[in-house]
Amino acid sequence: MSRLLPLVAFLLLAGLFGFGIWWNTGHDPHDIASPLIDKPAPAFALPVLGEPSRTVDKTSLLGKPYLLNVFASWCVECVHEHPILMTGVKRLGIPLVGFNYKDEPQAATAWLAEHGNPFDVVVADRDGRAGIDFGVYAAPETFLIDAKGVIRYKRIGPITPDVLENEIRPAIAALAKETP
Amino acid sequence: MRRVLLVLALCMLSAAVSAQAIQPMPFRDRAEEVRFQKLSAELRCPMCQNETLADSNAPIAHDLRRQVFEMMQAGRSDDEIKAFLVERYSQFVLYKPPVEPSTWLLWFGPLLLLAVGGIVVAVQVRRRARLAPAAPPANDNGDDW
């Protein structure tokens, strides 16, 4: 038995390392699970990009589910994500709200003019305070908010075709099945 | 001596650079500054995950430092500020996670390993003591080699 002890210890350690590798390939260690899932979205009232006198707040968006996409003109990954917003995400059949995060309004407007504007409305969070309430730390991020204003899903990082089909579309379908 | 001076100068240079990187806050007094430094060193930047809020130069760390500072100015306690951040960024932002069922392994795992190691050592020592003859060998003259 005592001769087997080193082997057993080795196997245990090997198992532990194997678990570590499996664990870290299964999920991105940079993704912090948002504690806001299934909690009411924070109240916000932000000016519309390009129309500073008009404000959009949380209550004005209640009544139907919508996607809130955090983007900025300085955000490199947002450029990579943008084509799928213009096509697949736009055709999901629910409003797509842009959340322009810590950006210069002129730069954001120019960015949307250059790449195309997939958003039904864009709100501007210039100083990032509303972003903190949403737990935003790395654009792009996308929230799915239901008709009652509850955050149901969050994607950190760009939406990929895989994420769109396997996460966002089923989540929206599940919302549609819920009795209002 | 010259080398010591050089090292000293380099240290000062790096201190000057890092002091410049992080914008100063308008603290009311020294105590508030110390409190802020202590608190921001206990909080983790969500973006650059191996840095504290105090050390990080990421934009989100800058914003969160501002948030912490403003909440301190508004008279909120350290616990309230931590709760505010945990509500939004999860316990990930705490470098010192609270003791609760999901963190028991983290807190007590090392103790558990130490106990297991201790038991293994104790068992081995006892077994060898039993196997070895009680009396020292006859030719033992106290010389180890």
PDB file of all heavy atoms in Angstrom, chain A residues 27-37 135-138 141 154-156, chain B residues 44-49 85-86 88-93:
ATOM      1  N   HIS A  27     -14.973  27.748 -20.088  1.00  0.00           N
ATOM      2  CA  HIS A  27     -15.477  29.120 -20.015  1.00  0.00           C
ATOM      3  C   HIS A  27     -14.306  30.095 -20.025  1.00  0.00           C
ATOM      4  O   HIS A  27     -13.194  29.751 -19.646  1.00  0.00           O
ATOM      5  CB  HIS A  27     -16.354  29.302 -18.777  1.00  0.00           C
ATOM      6  CG  HIS A  27     -15.561  29.466 -17.517  1.00  0.00           C
ATOM      7  ND1 HIS A  27     -14.922  28.429 -16.897  1.00  0.00           N
ATOM      8  CD2 HIS A  27     -15.290  30.563 -16.777  1.00  0.00           C
ATOM      9  CE1 HIS A  27     -14.301  28.878 -15.833  1.00  0.00           C
ATOM     10  NE2 HIS A  27     -14.496  30.164 -15.720  1.00  0.00           N
ATOM     11  N   ASP A  28     -14.603  31.308 -20.462  1.00  0.00           N
ATOM     12  CA  ASP A  28     -13.577  32.344 -20.518  1.00  0.00           C
ATOM     13  C   ASP A  28     -13.369  32.903 -19.114  1.00  0.00           C
ATOM     14  O   ASP A  28     -14.300  33.437 -18.515  1.00  0.00           O
ATOM     15  CB  ASP A  28     -14.056  33.448 -21.471  1.00  0.00           C
ATOM     16  CG  ASP A  28     -13.014  34.535 -21.639  1.00  0.00           C
ATOM     17  OD1 ASP A  28     -11.997  34.490 -20.928  1.00  0.00           O
ATOM     18  OD2 ASP A  28     -13.225  35.424 -22.472  1.00  0.00           O
ATOM     19  N   PRO A  29     -12.151  32.798 -18.580  1.00  0.00           N
ATOM     20  CA  PRO A  29     -11.938  33.296 -17.219  1.00  0.00           C
ATOM     21  C   PRO A  29     -12.133  34.802 -17.098  1.00  0.00           C
ATOM     22  O   PRO A  29     -12.244  35.319 -15.997  1.00  0.00           O
ATOM     23  CB  PRO A  29     -10.494  32.895 -16.912  1.00  0.00           C
ATOM     24  CG  PRO A  29      -9.863  32.626 -18.216  1.00  0.00           C
ATOM     25  CD  PRO A  29     -10.945  32.201 -19.152  1.00  0.00           C
ATOM     26  N   HIS A  30     -12.187  35.503 -18.232  1.00  0.00           N
ATOM     27  CA  HIS A  30     -12.410  36.945 -18.153  1.00  0.00           C
ATOM     28  C   HIS A  30     -13.876  37.290 -18.005  1.00  0.00           C
ATOM     29  O   HIS A  30     -14.221  38.430 -17.732  1.00  0.00           O
ATOM     30  CB  HIS A  30     -11.826  37.639 -19.388  1.00  0.00           C
ATOM     31  CG  HIS A  30     -10.341  37.719 -19.327  1.00  0.00           C
ATOM     32  ND1 HIS A  30      -9.668  38.773 -18.777  1.00  0.00           N
ATOM     33  CD2 HIS A  30      -9.392  36.836 -19.692  1.00  0.00           C
ATOM     34  CE1 HIS A  30      -8.370  38.555 -18.823  1.00  0.00           C
ATOM     35  NE2 HIS A  30      -8.181  37.379 -19.378  1.00  0.00           N
ATOM     36  N   ASP A  31     -14.764  36.319 -18.236  1.00  0.00           N
ATOM     37  CA  ASP A  31     -16.192  36.574 -18.064  1.00  0.00           C
ATOM     38  C   ASP A  31     -16.534  36.529 -16.583  1.00  0.00           C
ATOM     39  O   ASP A  31     -16.373  35.496 -15.940  1.00  0.00           O
ATOM     40  CB  ASP A  31     -17.015  35.495 -18.774  1.00  0.00           C
ATOM     41  CG  ASP A  31     -17.129  35.793 -20.254  1.00  0.00           C
ATOM     42  OD1 ASP A  31     -16.504  36.761 -20.705  1.00  0.00           O
ATOM     43  OD2 ASP A  31     -17.836  35.050 -20.942  1.00  0.00           O
ATOM     44  N   ILE A  32     -17.010  37.627 -16.073  1.00  0.00           N
ATOM     45  CA  ILE A  32     -17.500  37.636 -14.701  1.00  0.00           C
ATOM     46  C   ILE A  32     -19.008  37.510 -14.784  1.00  0.00           C
ATOM     47  O   ILE A  32     -19.655  38.360 -15.365  1.00  0.00           O
ATOM     48  CB  ILE A  32     -17.136  38.954 -13.992  1.00  0.00           C
ATOM     49  CG1 ILE A  32     -15.650  39.251 -14.157  1.00  0.00           C
ATOM     50  CG2 ILE A  32     -17.522  38.887 -12.542  1.00  0.00           C
ATOM     51  CD1 ILE A  32     -15.269  40.628 -13.660  1.00  0.00           C
ATOM     52  N   ALA A  33     -19.563  36.434 -14.218  1.00  0.00           N
ATOM     53  CA  ALA A  33     -21.006  36.264 -14.273  1.00  0.00           C
ATOM     54  C   ALA A  33     -21.659  37.473 -13.614  1.00  0.00           C
ATOM     55  O   ALA A  33     -21.310  37.843 -12.500  1.00  0.00           O
ATOM     56  CB  ALA A  33     -21.399  34.983 -13.557  1.00  0.00           C
ATOM     57  N   SER A  34     -22.579  38.100 -14.337  1.00  0.00           N
ATOM     58  CA  SER A  34     -23.180  39.315 -13.799  1.00  0.00           C
ATOM     59  C   SER A  34     -24.142  38.971 -12.678  1.00  0.00           C
ATOM     60  O   SER A  34     -24.991  38.098 -12.823  1.00  0.00           O
ATOM     61  CB  SER A  34     -23.924  40.064 -14.894  1.00  0.00           C
ATOM     62  OG  SER A  34     -24.586  41.177 -14.327  1.00  0.00           O
ATOM     63  N   PRO A  35     -24.028  39.651 -11.541  1.00  0.00           N
ATOM     64  CA  PRO A  35     -24.991  39.413 -10.465  1.00  0.00           C
ATOM     65  C   PRO A  35     -26.344  40.036 -10.779  1.00  0.00           C
ATOM     66  O   PRO A  35     -27.285  39.876 -10.020  1.00  0.00           O
ATOM     67  CB  PRO A  35     -24.337  40.100  -9.258  1.00  0.00           C
ATOM     68  CG  PRO A  35     -23.406  41.104  -9.822  1.00  0.00           C
ATOM     69  CD  PRO A  35     -23.012  40.637 -11.191  1.00  0.00           C
ATOM     70  N   LEU A  36     -26.449  40.736 -11.912  1.00  0.00           N
ATOM     71  CA  LEU A  36     -27.692  41.448 -12.227  1.00  0.00           C
ATOM     72  C   LEU A  36     -28.696  40.587 -12.987  1.00  0.00           C
ATOM     73  O   LEU A  36     -29.820  41.009 -13.208  1.00  0.00           O
ATOM     74  CB  LEU A  36     -27.370  42.694 -13.066  1.00  0.00           C
ATOM     75  CG  LEU A  36     -26.571  43.781 -12.336  1.00  0.00           C
ATOM     76  CD1 LEU A  36     -26.065  44.820 -13.310  1.00  0.00           C
ATOM     77  CD2 LEU A  36     -27.436  44.436 -11.281  1.00  0.00           C
ATOM     78  N   ILE A  37     -28.268  39.366 -13.393  1.00  0.00           N
ATOM     79  CA  ILE A  37     -29.192  38.500 -14.127  1.00  0.00           C
ATOM     80  C   ILE A  37     -30.402  38.189 -13.245  1.00  0.00           C
ATOM     81  O   ILE A  37     -30.247  37.873 -12.067  1.00  0.00           O
ATOM     82  CB  ILE A  37     -28.498  37.173 -14.523  1.00  0.00           C
ATOM     83  CG1 ILE A  37     -27.221  37.444 -15.306  1.00  0.00           C
ATOM     84  CG2 ILE A  37     -29.437  36.263 -15.302  1.00  0.00           C
ATOM     85  CD1 ILE A  37     -27.389  37.879 -16.712  1.00  0.00           C
ATOM     86  N   GLY A 135     -23.017  47.369 -14.472  1.00  0.00           N
ATOM     87  CA  GLY A 135     -21.887  46.459 -14.307  1.00  0.00           C
ATOM     88  C   GLY A 135     -21.077  46.306 -15.582  1.00  0.00           C
ATOM     89  O   GLY A 135     -20.442  45.275 -15.794  1.00  0.00           O
ATOM     90  N   VAL A 136     -21.076  47.339 -16.421  1.00  0.00           N
ATOM     91  CA  VAL A 136     -20.320  47.277 -17.674  1.00  0.00           C
ATOM     92  C   VAL A 136     -18.829  47.436 -17.366  1.00  0.00           C
ATOM     93  O   VAL A 136     -18.450  48.293 -16.577  1.00  0.00           O
ATOM     94  CB  VAL A 136     -20.777  48.411 -18.626  1.00  0.00           C
ATOM     95  CG1 VAL A 136     -19.838  48.529 -19.811  1.00  0.00           C
ATOM     96  CG2 VAL A 136     -22.196  48.165 -19.085  1.00  0.00           C
ATOM     97  N   TYR A 137     -17.995  46.577 -17.917  1.00  0.00           N
ATOM     98  CA  TYR A 137     -16.558  46.785 -17.746  1.00  0.00           C
ATOM     99  C   TYR A 137     -15.774  46.544 -19.019  1.00  0.00           C
ATOM    100  O   TYR A 137     -14.585  46.871 -19.087  1.00  0.00           O
ATOM    101  CB  TYR A 137     -16.009  45.916 -16.609  1.00  0.00           C
ATOM    102  CG  TYR A 137     -16.027  44.425 -16.862  1.00  0.00           C
ATOM    103  CD1 TYR A 137     -14.909  43.783 -17.372  1.00  0.00           C
ATOM    104  CD2 TYR A 137     -17.156  43.673 -16.604  1.00  0.00           C
ATOM    105  CE1 TYR A 137     -14.920  42.424 -17.604  1.00  0.00           C
ATOM    106  CE2 TYR A 137     -17.178  42.322 -16.828  1.00  0.00           C
ATOM    107  CZ  TYR A 137     -16.052  41.698 -17.324  1.00  0.00           C
ATOM    108  OH  TYR A 137     -16.078  40.353 -17.564  1.00  0.00           O
ATOM    109  N   ALA A 138     -16.385  45.957 -20.026  1.00  0.00           N
ATOM    110  CA  ALA A 138     -15.640  45.703 -21.253  1.00  0.00           C
ATOM    111  C   ALA A 138     -16.612  45.714 -22.420  1.00  0.00           C
ATOM    112  O   ALA A 138     -17.323  44.749 -22.633  1.00  0.00           O
ATOM    113  CB  ALA A 138     -14.927  44.359 -21.169  1.00  0.00           C
ATOM    114  N   GLU A 141     -20.816  44.755 -24.775  1.00  0.00           N
ATOM    115  CA  GLU A 141     -21.621  43.886 -23.913  1.00  0.00           C
ATOM    116  C   GLU A 141     -23.067  44.022 -24.373  1.00  0.00           C
ATOM    117  O   GLU A 141     -23.456  45.066 -24.896  1.00  0.00           O
ATOM    118  CB  GLU A 141     -21.515  44.317 -22.441  1.00  0.00           C
ATOM    119  CG  GLU A 141     -20.124  44.146 -21.867  1.00  0.00           C
ATOM    120  CD  GLU A 141     -20.061  44.449 -20.370  1.00  0.00           C
ATOM    121  OE1 GLU A 141     -21.123  44.601 -19.744  1.00  0.00           O
ATOM    122  OE2 GLU A 141     -18.942  44.543 -19.853  1.00  0.00           O
ATOM    123  N   LYS A 154     -26.986  38.232 -20.262  1.00  0.00           N
ATOM    124  CA  LYS A 154     -25.936  39.197 -20.573  1.00  0.00           C
ATOM    125  C   LYS A 154     -24.825  38.499 -21.337  1.00  0.00           C
ATOM    126  O   LYS A 154     -24.396  37.396 -20.977  1.00  0.00           O
ATOM    127  CB  LYS A 154     -25.366  39.805 -19.291  1.00  0.00           C
ATOM    128  CG  LYS A 154     -24.247  40.802 -19.577  1.00  0.00           C
ATOM    129  CD  LYS A 154     -23.627  41.340 -18.300  1.00  0.00           C
ATOM    130  CE  LYS A 154     -22.533  42.344 -18.650  1.00  0.00           C
ATOM    131  NZ  LYS A 154     -21.811  42.818 -17.475  1.00  0.00           N
ATOM    132  N   ARG A 155     -24.376  39.144 -22.395  1.00  0.00           N
ATOM    133  CA  ARG A 155     -23.228  38.662 -23.149  1.00  0.00           C
ATOM    134  C   ARG A 155     -22.093  39.658 -22.936  1.00  0.00           C
ATOM    135  O   ARG A 155     -22.272  40.858 -23.171  1.00  0.00           O
ATOM    136  CB  ARG A 155     -23.589  38.564 -24.636  1.00  0.00           C
ATOM    137  CG  ARG A 155     -22.410  38.432 -25.573  1.00  0.00           C
ATOM    138  CD  ARG A 155     -21.767  37.083 -25.504  1.00  0.00           C
ATOM    139  NE  ARG A 155     -20.558  37.044 -26.339  1.00  0.00           N
ATOM    140  CZ  ARG A 155     -19.669  36.056 -26.287  1.00  0.00           C
ATOM    141  NH1 ARG A 155     -19.844  35.038 -25.460  1.00  0.00           N
ATOM    142  NH2 ARG A 155     -18.606  36.088 -27.057  1.00  0.00           N
ATOM    143  N   ILE A 156     -20.946  39.151 -22.484  1.00  0.00           N
ATOM    144  CA  ILE A 156     -19.759  40.004 -22.363  1.00  0.00           C
ATOM    145  C   ILE A 156     -18.860  39.670 -23.538  1.00  0.00           C
ATOM    146  O   ILE A 156     -18.518  38.505 -23.743  1.00  0.00           O
ATOM    147  CB  ILE A 156     -19.036  39.754 -21.029  1.00  0.00           C
ATOM    148  CG1 ILE A 156     -19.954  40.124 -19.867  1.00  0.00           C
ATOM    149  CG2 ILE A 156     -17.739  40.549 -20.959  1.00  0.00           C
ATOM    150  CD1 ILE A 156     -19.479  39.614 -18.528  1.00  0.00           C
TER     151      ILE A 156
ATOM    152  N   ARG B  44     -10.756  44.827  -6.722  1.00  0.00           N
ATOM    153  CA  ARG B  44     -10.106  44.306  -7.909  1.00  0.00           C
ATOM    154  C   ARG B  44     -10.717  44.944  -9.147  1.00  0.00           C
ATOM    155  O   ARG B  44     -11.919  45.124  -9.230  1.00  0.00           O
ATOM    156  CB  ARG B  44     -10.362  42.800  -7.917  1.00  0.00           C
ATOM    157  CG  ARG B  44      -9.707  42.017  -9.004  1.00  0.00           C
ATOM    158  CD  ARG B  44      -9.959  40.569  -8.670  1.00  0.00           C
ATOM    159  NE  ARG B  44      -9.444  39.651  -9.639  1.00  0.00           N
ATOM    160  CZ  ARG B  44      -9.593  38.341  -9.529  1.00  0.00           C
ATOM    161  NH1 ARG B  44     -10.260  37.832  -8.514  1.00  0.00           N
ATOM    162  NH2 ARG B  44      -9.098  37.540 -10.439  1.00  0.00           N
ATOM    163  N   CYS B  45      -9.848  45.270 -10.089  1.00  0.00           N
ATOM    164  CA  CYS B  45     -10.332  45.852 -11.341  1.00  0.00           C
ATOM    165  C   CYS B  45     -10.979  44.748 -12.179  1.00  0.00           C
ATOM    166  O   CYS B  45     -10.355  43.727 -12.432  1.00  0.00           O
ATOM    167  CB  CYS B  45      -9.157  46.474 -12.086  1.00  0.00           C
ATOM    168  SG  CYS B  45      -9.539  46.926 -13.769  1.00  0.00           S
ATOM    169  N   PRO B  46     -12.241  44.923 -12.619  1.00  0.00           N
ATOM    170  CA  PRO B  46     -12.899  43.846 -13.382  1.00  0.00           C
ATOM    171  C   PRO B  46     -12.296  43.655 -14.770  1.00  0.00           C
ATOM    172  O   PRO B  46     -12.397  42.577 -15.347  1.00  0.00           O
ATOM    173  CB  PRO B  46     -14.359  44.293 -13.475  1.00  0.00           C
ATOM    174  CG  PRO B  46     -14.436  45.650 -12.917  1.00  0.00           C
ATOM    175  CD  PRO B  46     -13.107  46.074 -12.406  1.00  0.00           C
ATOM    176  N   MET B  47     -11.656  44.684 -15.293  1.00  0.00           N
ATOM    177  CA  MET B  47     -11.149  44.630 -16.667  1.00  0.00           C
ATOM    178  C   MET B  47      -9.793  43.916 -16.716  1.00  0.00           C
ATOM    179  O   MET B  47      -9.604  42.951 -17.437  1.00  0.00           O
ATOM    180  CB  MET B  47     -11.027  46.070 -17.172  1.00  0.00           C
ATOM    181  CG  MET B  47     -10.479  46.198 -18.561  1.00  0.00           C
ATOM    182  SD  MET B  47     -11.716  45.739 -19.758  1.00  0.00           S
ATOM    183  CE  MET B  47     -10.708  45.538 -21.193  1.00  0.00           C
ATOM    184  N   CYS B  48      -8.841  44.420 -15.944  1.00  0.00           N
ATOM    185  CA  CYS B  48      -7.488  43.861 -15.946  1.00  0.00           C
ATOM    186  C   CYS B  48      -7.390  43.079 -14.661  1.00  0.00           C
ATOM    187  O   CYS B  48      -7.132  43.634 -13.612  1.00  0.00           O
ATOM    188  CB  CYS B  48      -6.474  44.984 -15.957  1.00  0.00           C
ATOM    189  SG  CYS B  48      -7.139  46.409 -15.128  1.00  0.00           S
ATOM    190  N   GLN B  49      -7.642  41.791 -14.734  1.00  0.00           N
ATOM    191  CA  GLN B  49      -8.081  41.070 -13.552  1.00  0.00           C
ATOM    192  C   GLN B  49      -6.994  40.764 -12.540  1.00  0.00           C
ATOM    193  O   GLN B  49      -7.276  40.195 -11.503  1.00  0.00           O
ATOM    194  CB  GLN B  49      -8.806  39.817 -13.991  1.00  0.00           C
ATOM    195  CG  GLN B  49      -9.939  40.208 -14.936  1.00  0.00           C
ATOM    196  CD  GLN B  49     -10.837  39.076 -15.297  1.00  0.00           C
ATOM    197  OE1 GLN B  49     -10.496  37.935 -15.105  1.00  0.00           O
ATOM    198  NE2 GLN B  49     -12.002  39.382 -15.817  1.00  0.00           N
ATOM    199  N   LEU B  85     -20.449  47.851  -5.101  1.00  0.00           N
ATOM    200  CA  LEU B  85     -19.686  47.283  -6.219  1.00  0.00           C
ATOM    201  C   LEU B  85     -20.013  45.806  -6.427  1.00  0.00           C
ATOM    202  O   LEU B  85     -20.094  45.337  -7.563  1.00  0.00           O
ATOM    203  CB  LEU B  85     -18.186  47.476  -5.981  1.00  0.00           C
ATOM    204  CG  LEU B  85     -17.727  48.933  -6.107  1.00  0.00           C
ATOM    205  CD1 LEU B  85     -16.286  49.083  -5.685  1.00  0.00           C
ATOM    206  CD2 LEU B  85     -17.911  49.435  -7.534  1.00  0.00           C
ATOM    207  N   VAL B  86     -20.220  45.070  -5.324  1.00  0.00           N
ATOM    208  CA  VAL B  86     -20.534  43.643  -5.451  1.00  0.00           C
ATOM    209  C   VAL B  86     -21.881  43.462  -6.142  1.00  0.00           C
ATOM    210  O   VAL B  86     -22.044  42.569  -6.973  1.00  0.00           O
ATOM    211  CB  VAL B  86     -20.526  42.966  -4.053  1.00  0.00           C
ATOM    212  CG1 VAL B  86     -21.153  41.586  -4.116  1.00  0.00           C
ATOM    213  CG2 VAL B  86     -19.104  42.873  -3.536  1.00  0.00           C
ATOM    214  N   ARG B  88     -23.042  45.147  -8.464  1.00  0.00           N
ATOM    215  CA  ARG B  88     -22.907  45.383  -9.904  1.00  0.00           C
ATOM    216  C   ARG B  88     -21.882  44.484 -10.578  1.00  0.00           C
ATOM    217  O   ARG B  88     -22.051  44.084 -11.719  1.00  0.00           O
ATOM    218  CB  ARG B  88     -22.529  46.847 -10.140  1.00  0.00           C
ATOM    219  CG  ARG B  88     -23.691  47.770  -9.884  1.00  0.00           C
ATOM    220  CD  ARG B  88     -23.245  49.180  -9.579  1.00  0.00           C
ATOM    221  NE  ARG B  88     -24.397  50.045  -9.349  1.00  0.00           N
ATOM    222  CZ  ARG B  88     -25.115  50.047  -8.237  1.00  0.00           C
ATOM    223  NH1 ARG B  88     -24.814  49.237  -7.253  1.00  0.00           N
ATOM    224  NH2 ARG B  88     -26.160  50.845  -8.124  1.00  0.00           N
ATOM    225  N   TYR B  89     -20.806  44.183  -9.872  1.00  0.00           N
ATOM    226  CA  TYR B  89     -19.705  43.445 -10.502  1.00  0.00           C
ATOM    227  C   TYR B  89     -19.442  42.092  -9.849  1.00  0.00           C
ATOM    228  O   TYR B  89     -18.431  41.467 -10.130  1.00  0.00           O
ATOM    229  CB  TYR B  89     -18.427  44.297 -10.488  1.00  0.00           C
ATOM    230  CG  TYR B  89     -18.525  45.474 -11.420  1.00  0.00           C
ATOM    231  CD1 TYR B  89     -18.915  46.717 -10.955  1.00  0.00           C
ATOM    232  CD2 TYR B  89     -18.269  45.325 -12.776  1.00  0.00           C
ATOM    233  CE1 TYR B  89     -19.039  47.797 -11.816  1.00  0.00           C
ATOM    234  CE2 TYR B  89     -18.384  46.396 -13.636  1.00  0.00           C
ATOM    235  CZ  TYR B  89     -18.768  47.619 -13.159  1.00  0.00           C
ATOM    236  OH  TYR B  89     -18.888  48.674 -14.022  1.00  0.00           O
ATOM    237  N   SER B  90     -20.307  41.671  -8.923  1.00  0.00           N
ATOM    238  CA  SER B  90     -20.193  40.395  -8.215  1.00  0.00           C
ATOM    239  C   SER B  90     -18.989  40.391  -7.272  1.00  0.00           C
ATOM    240  O   SER B  90     -18.184  41.320  -7.259  1.00  0.00           O
ATOM    241  CB  SER B  90     -20.128  39.206  -9.174  1.00  0.00           C
ATOM    242  OG  SER B  90     -18.828  39.031  -9.667  1.00  0.00           O
ATOM    243  N   GLN B  91     -18.869  39.313  -6.516  1.00  0.00           N
ATOM    244  CA  GLN B  91     -17.817  39.242  -5.499  1.00  0.00           C
ATOM    245  C   GLN B  91     -16.429  39.210  -6.099  1.00  0.00           C
ATOM    246  O   GLN B  91     -15.436  39.282  -5.382  1.00  0.00           O
ATOM    247  CB  GLN B  91     -18.023  38.000  -4.646  1.00  0.00           C
ATOM    248  CG  GLN B  91     -19.124  38.203  -3.654  1.00  0.00           C
ATOM    249  CD  GLN B  91     -19.264  37.038  -2.737  1.00  0.00           C
ATOM    250  OE1 GLN B  91     -18.530  36.077  -2.842  1.00  0.00           O
ATOM    251  NE2 GLN B  91     -20.211  37.128  -1.855  1.00  0.00           N
ATOM    252  N   PHE B  92     -16.398  39.106  -7.412  1.00  0.00           N
ATOM    253  CA  PHE B  92     -15.126  39.140  -8.127  1.00  0.00           C
ATOM    254  C   PHE B  92     -14.311  40.378  -7.757  1.00  0.00           C
ATOM    255  O   PHE B  92     -13.084  40.341  -7.748  1.00  0.00           O
ATOM    256  CB  PHE B  92     -15.434  39.153  -9.622  1.00  0.00           C
ATOM    257  CG  PHE B  92     -14.234  38.956 -10.463  1.00  0.00           C
ATOM    258  CD1 PHE B  92     -13.861  37.690 -10.866  1.00  0.00           C
ATOM    259  CD2 PHE B  92     -13.465  40.035 -10.843  1.00  0.00           C
ATOM    260  CE1 PHE B  92     -12.740  37.513 -11.637  1.00  0.00           C
ATOM    261  CE2 PHE B  92     -12.342  39.856 -11.613  1.00  0.00           C
ATOM    262  CZ  PHE B  92     -11.981  38.591 -12.006  1.00  0.00           C
ATOM    263  N   VAL B  93     -14.966  41.490  -7.460  1.00  0.00           N
ATOM    264  CA  VAL B  93     -14.232  42.729  -7.188  1.00  0.00           C
ATOM    265  C   VAL B  93     -13.557  42.740  -5.819  1.00  0.00           C
ATOM    266  O   VAL B  93     -12.762  43.618  -5.546  1.00  0.00           O
ATOM    267  CB  VAL B  93     -15.122  43.992  -7.293  1.00  0.00           C
ATOM    268  CG1 VAL B  93     -15.596  44.212  -8.699  1.00  0.00           C
ATOM    269  CG2 VAL B  93     -16.275  43.929  -6.334  1.00  0.00           C
TER     270      VAL B  93
END
